[in-house]
Amino acid sequence: MKRVFLILGILVILGIGLGPWAYRTFFVPGVPIALSAFDYRTNDSWAALPAESPAPVWKDGWAVDVILVGPGTGLDPRSEADLLSQTNHAKEQSGWLAASLSLIGPVYAPLYRKADEATDLAAAFRSYVRTHNRGRAFVIATDHALPPEMLSSLKTDAALRARFGGFLRLTRAKGANAPFPAIALVPSAPDALMSYCPDQYDTEDTCEPVVRIGRQDGMMIVSQDTPVGGESLAGLTAWLEANVAKTAEPLGSLEEVEIIDIRRPGDTDAKRAEDDN
């Protein structure tokens, strides 16, 4: 009996000592760790990138890229191990979706910090335009609302907007006849989506065709049998060919060239000084 009371006493003491640790560990979520801003000039800041750089528009003509801001690419880690796990999951998830979306064209999926989504996605889009786009057409595939900061250049840069093919709305159906709600880029003004749509959608209600997605082996995949983007994308390159001028190949960087003084035989500095005198 004494041994039983002794064991119970030890358990009580351990419970009192380990209780706060167990509560913090299993019941109180950890504080997110501070993440540095991504440098989208480097490959490790992207969850998906094409294996090779696609040909620019001035070389092979019109083609379409896909910018993917889909499920699982926002990071909100509580530890370094959690960061590695979330990053690996984001890359795997983006790879599954890119397998289907690459039928449209090369896929670019940026990693981003959930706490700084607007800043990171705006920086990723700028980096794509400056480094990867090279005059090609592009569409944006997403499953959630996008920050206006990311898309502001679509309103200010007419040439960029002209080759924008609209949004692909990645949507998981909740039933056979479930509606697909529109993605509101500005929560207070859902209709503002059309202000980003290119000119070829002026006569249509929206520029965000639905792309059905579903879960397989723990990952979201494109689950529809019909072509992704449907008629909205089927004629995009033909429309661009008929209506939009291709971007010209940029000139190379200027190089400063030293001007060399050309002289005849015997025309030396000493001879010139003698002649001056």
mmCIF file of all heavy atoms in Angstrom, residues 228-267:
data_model
loop_
_atom_site.group_PDB
_atom_site.id
_atom_site.type_symbol
_atom_site.label_atom_id
_atom_site.label_comp_id
_atom_site.label_asym_id
_atom_site.label_seq_id
_atom_site.Cartn_x
_atom_site.Cartn_y
_atom_site.Cartn_z
ATOM 1 N N VAL A 228 -9.048 22.959 -69.534
ATOM 2 C CA VAL A 228 -8.937 24.021 -68.524
ATOM 3 C C VAL A 228 -9.083 25.383 -69.195
ATOM 4 O O VAL A 228 -8.409 25.673 -70.176
ATOM 5 C CB VAL A 228 -7.589 23.927 -67.795
ATOM 6 C CG1 VAL A 228 -7.427 25.105 -66.836
ATOM 7 C CG2 VAL A 228 -7.476 22.612 -67.049
ATOM 8 N N GLY A 229 -9.963 26.200 -68.669
ATOM 9 C CA GLY A 229 -10.170 27.532 -69.231
ATOM 10 C C GLY A 229 -11.211 27.583 -70.314
ATOM 11 O O GLY A 229 -11.713 28.660 -70.643
ATOM 12 N N GLY A 230 -11.539 26.458 -70.904
ATOM 13 C CA GLY A 230 -12.583 26.376 -71.915
ATOM 14 C C GLY A 230 -12.400 27.353 -73.062
ATOM 15 O O GLY A 230 -11.282 27.627 -73.510
ATOM 16 N N GLU A 231 -13.512 27.901 -73.537
ATOM 17 C CA GLU A 231 -13.488 28.806 -74.675
ATOM 18 C C GLU A 231 -12.737 30.093 -74.378
ATOM 19 O O GLU A 231 -12.224 30.746 -75.286
ATOM 20 C CB GLU A 231 -14.916 29.126 -75.121
ATOM 21 C CG GLU A 231 -15.686 27.920 -75.641
ATOM 22 C CD GLU A 231 -17.083 28.286 -76.081
ATOM 23 O OE1 GLU A 231 -17.424 29.487 -75.966
ATOM 24 O OE2 GLU A 231 -17.819 27.397 -76.528
ATOM 25 N N SER A 232 -12.672 30.465 -73.100
ATOM 26 C CA SER A 232 -12.003 31.710 -72.736
ATOM 27 C C SER A 232 -10.527 31.696 -73.125
ATOM 28 O O SER A 232 -9.957 32.732 -73.454
ATOM 29 C CB SER A 232 -12.139 31.958 -71.230
ATOM 30 O OG SER A 232 -13.487 32.128 -70.882
ATOM 31 N N LEU A 233 -9.909 30.530 -73.058
ATOM 32 C CA LEU A 233 -8.495 30.430 -73.398
ATOM 33 C C LEU A 233 -8.246 29.828 -74.775
ATOM 34 O O LEU A 233 -7.181 30.022 -75.341
ATOM 35 C CB LEU A 233 -7.766 29.576 -72.345
ATOM 36 C CG LEU A 233 -7.575 30.201 -70.969
ATOM 37 C CD1 LEU A 233 -6.753 29.285 -70.087
ATOM 38 C CD2 LEU A 233 -6.900 31.557 -71.081
ATOM 39 N N ALA A 234 -9.238 29.122 -75.307
ATOM 40 C CA ALA A 234 -9.038 28.422 -76.575
ATOM 41 C C ALA A 234 -8.615 29.366 -77.695
ATOM 42 O O ALA A 234 -7.767 29.030 -78.521
ATOM 43 C CB ALA A 234 -10.315 27.676 -76.961
ATOM 44 N N GLY A 235 -9.190 30.576 -77.711
ATOM 45 C CA GLY A 235 -8.876 31.498 -78.794
ATOM 46 C C GLY A 235 -7.977 32.643 -78.393
ATOM 47 O O GLY A 235 -7.855 33.624 -79.133
ATOM 48 N N LEU A 236 -7.327 32.532 -77.228
ATOM 49 C CA LEU A 236 -6.549 33.665 -76.720
ATOM 50 C C LEU A 236 -5.386 34.026 -77.633
ATOM 51 O O LEU A 236 -5.207 35.193 -77.995
ATOM 52 C CB LEU A 236 -6.031 33.358 -75.315
ATOM 53 C CG LEU A 236 -5.132 34.425 -74.692
ATOM 54 C CD1 LEU A 236 -5.855 35.769 -74.598
ATOM 55 C CD2 LEU A 236 -4.643 33.975 -73.314
ATOM 56 N N THR A 237 -4.576 33.059 -78.016
ATOM 57 C CA THR A 237 -3.401 33.388 -78.829
ATOM 58 C C THR A 237 -3.803 33.905 -80.209
ATOM 59 O O THR A 237 -3.139 34.793 -80.755
ATOM 60 C CB THR A 237 -2.480 32.168 -78.962
ATOM 61 O OG1 THR A 237 -3.220 31.054 -79.481
ATOM 62 C CG2 THR A 237 -1.887 31.776 -77.613
ATOM 63 N N ALA A 238 -4.898 33.373 -80.769
ATOM 64 C CA ALA A 238 -5.368 33.874 -82.068
ATOM 65 C C ALA A 238 -5.844 35.317 -81.935
ATOM 66 O O ALA A 238 -5.590 36.148 -82.817
ATOM 67 C CB ALA A 238 -6.487 32.976 -82.603
ATOM 68 N N TRP A 239 -6.531 35.626 -80.840
ATOM 69 C CA TRP A 239 -6.998 37.002 -80.613
ATOM 70 C C TRP A 239 -5.809 37.942 -80.465
ATOM 71 O O TRP A 239 -5.803 39.055 -81.011
ATOM 72 C CB TRP A 239 -7.874 37.049 -79.367
ATOM 73 C CG TRP A 239 -8.509 38.391 -79.136
ATOM 74 C CD1 TRP A 239 -9.720 38.819 -79.586
ATOM 75 C CD2 TRP A 239 -7.936 39.491 -78.414
ATOM 76 N NE1 TRP A 239 -9.946 40.115 -79.192
ATOM 77 C CE2 TRP A 239 -8.862 40.555 -78.468
ATOM 78 C CE3 TRP A 239 -6.738 39.679 -77.732
ATOM 79 C CZ2 TRP A 239 -8.636 41.788 -77.869
ATOM 80 C CZ3 TRP A 239 -6.495 40.914 -77.129
ATOM 81 C CH2 TRP A 239 -7.439 41.950 -77.197
ATOM 82 N N LEU A 240 -4.797 37.510 -79.733
ATOM 83 C CA LEU A 240 -3.608 38.337 -79.552
ATOM 84 C C LEU A 240 -2.892 38.558 -80.883
ATOM 85 O O LEU A 240 -2.431 39.664 -81.181
ATOM 86 C CB LEU A 240 -2.658 37.674 -78.553
ATOM 87 C CG LEU A 240 -3.136 37.638 -77.094
ATOM 88 C CD1 LEU A 240 -2.257 36.713 -76.272
ATOM 89 C CD2 LEU A 240 -3.153 39.033 -76.498
ATOM 90 N N GLU A 241 -2.801 37.518 -81.680
ATOM 91 C CA GLU A 241 -2.140 37.634 -82.986
ATOM 92 C C GLU A 241 -2.830 38.670 -83.857
ATOM 93 O O GLU A 241 -2.181 39.422 -84.595
ATOM 94 C CB GLU A 241 -2.134 36.266 -83.682
ATOM 95 C CG GLU A 241 -1.369 36.221 -84.986
ATOM 96 C CD GLU A 241 0.132 36.402 -84.803
ATOM 97 O OE1 GLU A 241 0.679 35.907 -83.796
ATOM 98 O OE2 GLU A 241 0.753 37.051 -85.672
ATOM 99 N N ALA A 242 -4.150 38.742 -83.750
ATOM 100 C CA ALA A 242 -4.911 39.653 -84.600
ATOM 101 C C ALA A 242 -5.018 41.071 -84.036
ATOM 102 O O ALA A 242 -5.235 42.019 -84.795
ATOM 103 C CB ALA A 242 -6.316 39.090 -84.821
ATOM 104 N N ASN A 243 -4.832 41.219 -82.717
ATOM 105 C CA ASN A 243 -5.147 42.503 -82.106
ATOM 106 C C ASN A 243 -4.028 43.174 -81.311
ATOM 107 O O ASN A 243 -4.124 44.370 -81.025
ATOM 108 C CB ASN A 243 -6.351 42.338 -81.160
ATOM 109 C CG ASN A 243 -7.616 41.954 -81.878
ATOM 110 O OD1 ASN A 243 -8.324 42.798 -82.423
ATOM 111 N ND2 ASN A 243 -7.911 40.655 -81.883
ATOM 112 N N VAL A 244 -2.987 42.451 -80.951
ATOM 113 C CA VAL A 244 -1.960 42.996 -80.056
ATOM 114 C C VAL A 244 -0.580 42.873 -80.696
ATOM 115 O O VAL A 244 -0.211 41.805 -81.193
ATOM 116 C CB VAL A 244 -1.965 42.269 -78.693
ATOM 117 C CG1 VAL A 244 -0.881 42.829 -77.778
ATOM 118 C CG2 VAL A 244 -3.330 42.378 -78.036
ATOM 119 N N ALA A 245 0.154 43.976 -80.690
ATOM 120 C CA ALA A 245 1.516 43.960 -81.229
ATOM 121 C C ALA A 245 2.448 43.231 -80.272
ATOM 122 O O ALA A 245 2.377 43.408 -79.052
ATOM 123 C CB ALA A 245 2.003 45.382 -81.455
ATOM 124 N N LYS A 246 3.327 42.411 -80.822
ATOM 125 C CA LYS A 246 4.283 41.681 -79.998
ATOM 126 C C LYS A 246 5.361 42.626 -79.460
ATOM 127 O O LYS A 246 5.751 43.592 -80.121
ATOM 128 C CB LYS A 246 4.960 40.564 -80.807
ATOM 129 C CG LYS A 246 4.024 39.490 -81.323
ATOM 130 C CD LYS A 246 4.811 38.424 -82.064
ATOM 131 C CE LYS A 246 3.888 37.344 -82.598
ATOM 132 N NZ LYS A 246 3.047 37.835 -83.704
ATOM 133 N N THR A 247 5.833 42.333 -78.273
ATOM 134 C CA THR A 247 6.927 43.090 -77.680
ATOM 135 C C THR A 247 8.196 42.861 -78.490
ATOM 136 O O THR A 247 8.508 41.722 -78.865
ATOM 137 C CB THR A 247 7.165 42.645 -76.227
ATOM 138 O OG1 THR A 247 5.951 42.799 -75.499
ATOM 139 C CG2 THR A 247 8.264 43.462 -75.580
ATOM 140 N N ALA A 248 8.923 43.935 -78.796
ATOM 141 C CA ALA A 248 10.169 43.806 -79.549
ATOM 142 C C ALA A 248 11.285 43.320 -78.635
ATOM 143 O O ALA A 248 11.274 43.543 -77.424
ATOM 144 C CB ALA A 248 10.544 45.149 -80.164
ATOM 145 N N GLU A 249 12.249 42.650 -79.234
ATOM 146 C CA GLU A 249 13.397 42.182 -78.459
ATOM 147 C C GLU A 249 14.154 43.387 -77.908
ATOM 148 O O GLU A 249 14.478 44.323 -78.653
ATOM 149 C CB GLU A 249 14.322 41.344 -79.331
ATOM 150 C CG GLU A 249 15.527 40.794 -78.577
ATOM 151 C CD GLU A 249 16.376 39.869 -79.444
ATOM 152 O OE1 GLU A 249 16.076 39.739 -80.653
ATOM 153 O OE2 GLU A 249 17.331 39.287 -78.903
ATOM 154 N N PRO A 250 14.442 43.394 -76.614
ATOM 155 C CA PRO A 250 15.139 44.551 -76.035
ATOM 156 C C PRO A 250 16.563 44.655 -76.549
ATOM 157 O O PRO A 250 17.211 43.646 -76.860
ATOM 158 C CB PRO A 250 15.119 44.250 -74.532
ATOM 159 C CG PRO A 250 14.957 42.775 -74.435
ATOM 160 C CD PRO A 250 14.132 42.369 -75.618
ATOM 161 N N LEU A 251 17.044 45.905 -76.662
ATOM 162 C CA LEU A 251 18.425 46.114 -77.079
ATOM 163 C C LEU A 251 19.368 45.679 -75.979
ATOM 164 O O LEU A 251 19.026 45.716 -74.797
ATOM 165 C CB LEU A 251 18.646 47.597 -77.404
ATOM 166 C CG LEU A 251 17.816 48.168 -78.557
ATOM 167 C CD1 LEU A 251 18.042 49.674 -78.651
ATOM 168 C CD2 LEU A 251 18.179 47.484 -79.864
ATOM 169 N N GLY A 252 20.575 45.293 -76.377
ATOM 170 C CA GLY A 252 21.571 44.935 -75.382
ATOM 171 C C GLY A 252 22.016 46.159 -74.597
ATOM 172 O O GLY A 252 21.766 47.296 -74.979
ATOM 173 N N SER A 253 22.674 45.939 -73.486
ATOM 174 C CA SER A 253 23.143 47.052 -72.667
ATOM 175 C C SER A 253 24.232 47.825 -73.397
ATOM 176 O O SER A 253 24.998 47.271 -74.183
ATOM 177 C CB SER A 253 23.690 46.521 -71.334
ATOM 178 O OG SER A 253 24.734 45.608 -71.556
ATOM 179 N N LEU A 254 24.263 49.129 -73.160
ATOM 180 C CA LEU A 254 25.257 49.978 -73.796
ATOM 181 C C LEU A 254 26.619 49.758 -73.164
ATOM 182 O O LEU A 254 26.751 49.539 -71.964
ATOM 183 C CB LEU A 254 24.840 51.447 -73.658
ATOM 184 C CG LEU A 254 23.510 51.827 -74.328
ATOM 185 C CD1 LEU A 254 23.202 53.295 -74.063
ATOM 186 C CD2 LEU A 254 23.562 51.543 -75.816
ATOM 187 N N GLU A 255 27.631 49.820 -73.986
ATOM 188 C CA GLU A 255 29.002 49.618 -73.501
ATOM 189 C C GLU A 255 29.836 50.845 -73.849
ATOM 190 O O GLU A 255 29.810 51.333 -74.984
ATOM 191 C CB GLU A 255 29.613 48.373 -74.148
ATOM 192 C CG GLU A 255 31.051 48.104 -73.717
ATOM 193 C CD GLU A 255 31.628 46.866 -74.382
ATOM 194 O OE1 GLU A 255 30.892 46.205 -75.124
ATOM 195 O OE2 GLU A 255 32.822 46.576 -74.166
ATOM 196 N N GLU A 256 30.549 51.361 -72.871
ATOM 197 C CA GLU A 256 31.403 52.519 -73.107
ATOM 198 C C GLU A 256 32.662 52.076 -73.841
ATOM 199 O O GLU A 256 33.364 51.154 -73.417
ATOM 200 C CB GLU A 256 31.782 53.168 -71.771
ATOM 201 C CG GLU A 256 32.577 54.449 -71.935
ATOM 202 C CD GLU A 256 32.846 55.133 -70.609
ATOM 203 O OE1 GLU A 256 32.197 54.749 -69.612
ATOM 204 O OE2 GLU A 256 33.701 56.041 -70.575
ATOM 205 N N VAL A 257 32.949 52.715 -74.965
ATOM 206 C CA VAL A 257 34.103 52.345 -75.793
ATOM 207 C C VAL A 257 35.104 53.496 -75.783
ATOM 208 O O VAL A 257 34.751 54.654 -76.043
ATOM 209 C CB VAL A 257 33.678 52.046 -77.252
ATOM 210 C CG1 VAL A 257 34.894 51.708 -78.093
ATOM 211 C CG2 VAL A 257 32.658 50.905 -77.264
ATOM 212 N N GLU A 258 36.336 53.191 -75.498
ATOM 213 C CA GLU A 258 37.390 54.201 -75.488
ATOM 214 C C GLU A 258 37.783 54.559 -76.923
ATOM 215 O O GLU A 258 38.016 53.687 -77.761
ATOM 216 C CB GLU A 258 38.612 53.672 -74.735
ATOM 217 C CG GLU A 258 39.744 54.680 -74.647
ATOM 218 C CD GLU A 258 40.959 54.116 -73.925
ATOM 219 O OE1 GLU A 258 40.891 52.947 -73.486
ATOM 220 O OE2 GLU A 258 41.955 54.854 -73.804
ATOM 221 N N ILE A 259 37.823 55.865 -77.216
ATOM 222 C CA ILE A 259 38.201 56.325 -78.551
ATOM 223 C C ILE A 259 39.725 56.381 -78.645
ATOM 224 O O ILE A 259 40.388 57.062 -77.861
ATOM 225 C CB ILE A 259 37.596 57.707 -78.850
ATOM 226 C CG1 ILE A 259 36.060 57.623 -78.794
ATOM 227 C CG2 ILE A 259 38.057 58.222 -80.207
ATOM 228 C CD1 ILE A 259 35.382 58.954 -78.982
ATOM 229 N N ILE A 260 40.255 55.646 -79.587
ATOM 230 C CA ILE A 260 41.716 55.553 -79.735
ATOM 231 C C ILE A 260 42.195 56.601 -80.747
ATOM 232 O O ILE A 260 41.616 56.766 -81.828
ATOM 233 C CB ILE A 260 42.112 54.141 -80.207
ATOM 234 C CG1 ILE A 260 41.635 53.092 -79.188
ATOM 235 C CG2 ILE A 260 43.614 54.047 -80.419
ATOM 236 C CD1 ILE A 260 41.884 51.677 -79.626
ATOM 237 N N ASP A 261 43.247 57.326 -80.391
ATOM 238 C CA ASP A 261 43.841 58.336 -81.270
ATOM 239 C C ASP A 261 44.663 57.634 -82.347
ATOM 240 O O ASP A 261 45.672 57.000 -82.074
ATOM 241 C CB ASP A 261 44.732 59.265 -80.434
ATOM 242 C CG ASP A 261 45.241 60.441 -81.262
ATOM 243 O OD1 ASP A 261 44.721 60.629 -82.380
ATOM 244 O OD2 ASP A 261 46.140 61.144 -80.769
ATOM 245 N N ILE A 262 44.191 57.717 -83.588
ATOM 246 C CA ILE A 262 44.882 57.050 -84.701
ATOM 247 C C ILE A 262 45.929 58.008 -85.292
ATOM 248 O O ILE A 262 45.615 59.142 -85.655
ATOM 249 C CB ILE A 262 43.877 56.617 -85.785
ATOM 250 C CG1 ILE A 262 42.832 55.662 -85.177
ATOM 251 C CG2 ILE A 262 44.594 55.970 -86.953
ATOM 252 C CD1 ILE A 262 41.755 55.264 -86.144
ATOM 253 N N ARG A 263 47.171 57.554 -85.411
ATOM 254 C CA ARG A 263 48.267 58.400 -85.905
ATOM 255 C C ARG A 263 48.978 57.728 -87.077
ATOM 256 O O ARG A 263 48.971 56.514 -87.224
ATOM 257 C CB ARG A 263 49.285 58.655 -84.787
ATOM 258 C CG ARG A 263 48.677 59.294 -83.539
ATOM 259 C CD ARG A 263 49.741 59.563 -82.497
ATOM 260 N NE ARG A 263 49.158 60.140 -81.271
ATOM 261 C CZ ARG A 263 49.869 60.568 -80.244
ATOM 262 N NH1 ARG A 263 51.208 60.467 -80.277
ATOM 263 N NH2 ARG A 263 49.271 61.077 -79.187
ATOM 264 N N ARG A 264 49.620 58.562 -87.839
ATOM 265 C CA ARG A 264 50.447 58.062 -88.936
ATOM 266 C C ARG A 264 51.821 57.647 -88.397
ATOM 267 O O ARG A 264 52.211 58.063 -87.299
ATOM 268 C CB ARG A 264 50.620 59.148 -90.001
ATOM 269 C CG ARG A 264 49.309 59.529 -90.682
ATOM 270 C CD ARG A 264 49.535 60.619 -91.701
ATOM 271 N NE ARG A 264 48.300 60.975 -92.387
ATOM 272 C CZ ARG A 264 48.209 61.915 -93.311
ATOM 273 N NH1 ARG A 264 49.292 62.619 -93.639
ATOM 274 N NH2 ARG A 264 47.046 62.171 -93.891
ATOM 275 N N PRO A 265 52.558 56.862 -89.152
ATOM 276 C CA PRO A 265 53.901 56.465 -88.712
ATOM 277 C C PRO A 265 54.771 57.697 -88.422
ATOM 278 O O PRO A 265 54.805 58.650 -89.200
ATOM 279 C CB PRO A 265 54.447 55.674 -89.892
ATOM 280 C CG PRO A 265 53.228 55.128 -90.573
ATOM 281 C CD PRO A 265 52.193 56.212 -90.427
ATOM 282 N N GLY A 266 55.456 57.688 -87.284
ATOM 283 C CA GLY A 266 56.326 58.792 -86.898
ATOM 284 C C GLY A 266 55.629 59.910 -86.160
ATOM 285 O O GLY A 266 56.272 60.856 -85.701
ATOM 286 N N ASP A 267 54.297 59.839 -86.072
ATOM 287 C CA ASP A 267 53.520 60.877 -85.388
ATOM 288 C C ASP A 267 53.482 60.547 -83.897
ATOM 289 O O ASP A 267 52.550 59.938 -83.403
ATOM 290 C CB ASP A 267 52.110 60.938 -85.966
ATOM 291 C CG ASP A 267 51.298 62.103 -85.374
ATOM 292 O OD1 ASP A 267 51.871 62.887 -84.589
ATOM 293 O OD2 ASP A 267 50.093 62.192 -85.688
#
